[in-house]
Amino acid sequence: MAEHNLNVSEALPISDKQPPKPKRVASLDIFRGLTVALMILVDDAGGQWPMIGHAPWNGCNLADFVMPFFLFIVGMAIPLTLKRIPNRLLAVKKVLVRTLKLLFWGLLLQGGFSHAPDNLTYGVDMKYIRWCGILQRIALAYLVVALVEIFSRSTQAIDQEPSQLSIFKLYYWHWLVGACILTVYLALLYGIRVPDWKFTVHNPDSIYNGTTLTVTCGFRGKLDPPCNAVGYIDREVLGINHMYKGPAWRRSEACTDKSPYEGPFKKNAPSWCYAPFEPEGILSSISAILSTIIGLHFGHVLIHLQDHSSRLKHWLLLGFALLTLGVILHFTHAIPLNKQLYTLSYVCVTSGAAALLFSAFYVVVDIWGLKILFMPLKWIGMNAMLVYVMAAEGIFAGFINGWYYDDPHNTLTYWIQKHVFIKVWHSRRVGVLFYVIFAEIFFWAIVAGIMHRLGIYWKL
């Protein structure tokens, strides 16, 4: 979501003179475009294909890579952007303004104001507004990491011949901050005792609507859905009415017979199945900053190491190391992979995957020069905010659905989905999948391409 540029002749972001206009990193644009496309795919087709939707609790499906990929990309873009702003006060101002913009759009889009595209309503009861969300988490991670980058500049010694290890030494403050964040996160996750808690069901379709249910806990260090410290902190600080009403755990085996599909709850489903849970909450967002710090390091490698082989060696070694550590933590049952809790193993696996995927794009695009193969993704990546708001958040589809004939479901989008895709393939699952790929992702790639041609970009 931030600008990113690369001037291969520039070694350090500490300079009194204004650097020349740098060249954009095509592979980073493409990686960002892929991540936005994945978000659209998993949000709009995940209901029909649960294996690509979010894992109900432990585990890692395709959708669970989207958020860490965004944070990794934000981290990579920070040094590439801030190195062109040598004035510290100006850099802080730009970071604060961008953070406020992200928070504003996050509250507007995910706080409940727009109920697009299916529920054609606008507005929210402030008693139930959702304070957290995707852009809010990105805003927090961006703010913390960007400020660390700005205020640690004076501690960086000029290294004329940077090596693989000297980059860690040069930016040791970033890793110290990361270690402190991890320590606080683990201490709270495993140290807080979670007491019993109550909530009132607010769902007109539920037989328990208006009923107050109790969840029995009294444990410390549990990572299960009802009794973890992540949910406890959010309930105490945010208030349970301001949390996400449709958490992924509703598709777990404990709640429904159709798991991992959505479906009616079992008659003996535990009470927590009906409760809200915030997947972008306070403690998990603190842990999510680690994904951005790792991305920041990859951005520093891009700036300091000038030849392709040195960059790739560093990225691949660190990527494989993170991936291996995360897999070991998960399969030894030390720390499970869990997106809702944003566990350490999840940080390692998703950051390692981001590192390897970006490295692959870097080889194909920036070394082999095969950019033309990924132009649709590049266009989306260069106008990521536009596509995110209009497509991933359904604002454009909501606008189109607002013009219907006789019945709210008798709209152009529903007609295209039903007659052009579902009836042709004689399968709702396949039809919805192809609708999302061609009528949403490819459509917005073309729109973004036209805007790129006109030089129009939505930047924060």
Side-chain angles (χ1 to χ4, degrees):
M1 304 247 177
E3 288 183 74
H4 58 276
N5 299 280
L6 176 63
N7 186 341
V8 295
S9 64
E10 190 173 22
L12 281 172
I14 308 173
S15 174
D16 293 329
K17 60 183 181 180
Q18 187 71 20
K21 186 173 178 62
K23 179 183 177 183
R24 289 185 70 94
V25 187
S27 50
L28 195 53
D29 277 326
I30 291 169
F31 190 19
R32 183 187 291 110
L34 174 67
T35 305
V36 175
L38 282 178
M39 173 175 281
I40 299 171
L41 177 67
V42 299
D43 282 353
D44 295 347
Q48 299 295 324
W49 301 83
M51 67 284 298
I52 69 172
H54 291 292
W57 193 245
N58 289 337
C60 203
N61 293 350
L62 182 62
D64 299 311
F65 287 90
V66 173
M67 172 58 78
F69 280 9
F70 269 131
L71 295 172
F72 181 90
I73 292 166
V74 168
M76 280 202 72
I78 285 173
L80 302 177
T81 302
L82 293 181
K83 72 186 179 67
R84 298 184 293 113
I85 312 174
N87 183 283
R88 180 178 290 178
L89 186 60
L90 180 59
V92 171
K93 179 182 176 182
K94 287 185 175 292
V95 167
L96 291 177
V97 169
R98 181 168 285 166
T99 299
L100 290 175
K101 288 180 179 178
L102 285 167
L103 290 173
F104 168 78
W105 282 105
L107 284 174
L108 192 67
L109 295 170
Q110 288 196 288
F113 240 92
S114 174
H115 304 275
D118 297 317
N119 298 324
L120 301 178
T121 57
Y122 183 79
V124 62
D125 186 342
M126 293 300 292
K127 289 172 59 178
Y128 302 105
I129 187 172
R130 182 184 174 198
W131 296 118
C132 298
I134 294 170
L135 293 183
Q136 294 94 311
R137 171 170 284 179
I138 291 175
L140 173 65
Y142 171 73
L143 176 66
V144 172
V145 176
L147 291 180
V148 171
E149 172 77 1
I150 293 169
F151 286 104
S152 64
R153 284 178 177 178
S154 60
T155 66
Q156 298 164 11
I158 296 178
D159 190 346
Q160 296 297 336
E161 295 182 1
S163 64
Q164 300 284 351
L165 294 178
S166 69
I167 296 180
F168 289 99
K169 181 180 179 182
L170 189 62
Y171 295 99
Y172 68 93
W173 264 107
H174 303 151
W175 297 107
L176 286 177
V177 171
C180 291
I181 288 172
L182 179 60
T183 300
V184 169
Y185 170 76
L186 292 176
L188 293 175
L189 183 67
Y190 290 101
I192 291 181
R193 180 182 180 275
V194 180
D196 298 349
W197 52 283
K198 298 179 180 180
F199 68 98
T200 301
V201 178
H202 299 285
N203 183 359
D205 298 326
S206 173
I207 59 172
Y208 293 107
N209 185 42
T211 305
T212 299
L213 302 178
T214 300
V215 180
T216 304
C217 288
F219 301 108
R220 192 189 312 274
K222 289 280 188 179
L223 302 186
D224 57 2
C227 300
N228 60 79
V230 171
Y232 172 65
I233 291 175
D234 289 336
R235 290 191 296 272
E236 292 297 308
V237 178
L238 301 174
I240 197 165
N241 289 336
H242 300 286
M243 296 165 62
Y244 184 50
K245 304 300 188 293
W249 74 26
R250 289 171 174 257
R251 295 184 286 106
S252 64
E253 292 183 2
C255 297
T256 176
D257 289 320
K258 295 185 177 182
S259 179
Y261 290 91
E262 292 186 9
F265 287 156
K266 296 177 178 178
K267 291 183 179 180
N268 60 342
S271 57
W272 55 263
C273 291
Y274 299 88
F277 181 84
E278 184 51 68
E280 278 85 41
I282 297 170
L283 186 56
S284 57
S285 290
I286 292 174
S287 176
I289 297 172
L290 296 171
S291 296
T292 308
I293 291 177
I294 294 171
L296 180 75
H297 179 77
F298 277 69
H300 289 147
V301 171
L302 194 61
I303 291 174
H304 286 276
L305 300 183
Q306 298 302 301
D307 61 288
H308 296 316
S309 60
S310 296
R311 291 170 177 170
L312 285 171
K313 180 181 178 181
H314 193 107
W315 289 336
L316 292 173
L317 286 174
L318 186 55
F320 277 116
L322 287 168
L323 195 61
T324 302
L325 175 59
V327 169
I328 290 173
L329 288 173
H330 177 71
F331 284 101
T332 57
H333 304 290
I335 302 178
L337 283 166
N338 192 295
K339 187 264 181 187
Q340 319 297 321
L341 305 179
Y342 221 103
T343 56
L344 177 59
S345 58
Y346 175 73
V347 171
C348 292
V349 166
T350 54
S351 297
L356 299 180
L357 186 55
F358 172 76
S359 298
F361 279 132
Y362 184 79
V363 170
V364 176
V365 175
D366 292 302
I367 298 180
W368 294 349
L370 300 178
K371 190 188 303 185
I372 191 68
L373 297 176
F374 304 98
M375 288 307 293
L377 294 178
K378 185 174 185 292
W379 295 332
I380 293 176
M382 295 180 75
N383 239 320
M385 189 61 185
L386 170 77
V387 180
Y388 172 81
V389 171
M390 293 297 174
E393 288 300 317
I395 299 303
F396 181 77
F399 171 77
I400 297 298
N401 283 350
W403 301 85
Y404 58 87
Y405 185 80
D406 189 49
D407 184 88
H409 285 96
N410 190 20
T411 68
L412 179 62
T413 54
Y414 284 109
W415 188 92
I416 292 174
Q417 187 179 100
K418 179 179 179 180
H419 294 278
V420 179
F421 291 93
I422 295 176
K423 280 193 173 181
V424 169
W425 292 96
H426 305 289
S427 167
R428 179 167 182 81
R429 296 182 72 214
V430 177
V432 168
L433 179 64
F434 281 104
Y435 170 81
V436 172
I437 292 173
F438 292 104
E440 293 188 13
I441 297 174
F442 190 65
F443 169 79
W444 283 105
I446 294 173
V447 172
I450 294 172
M451 297 191 71
H452 170 60
R453 185 80 174 180
L454 297 174
I456 301 173
Y457 306 98
W458 184 351
K459 298 177 181 179
L460 290 183

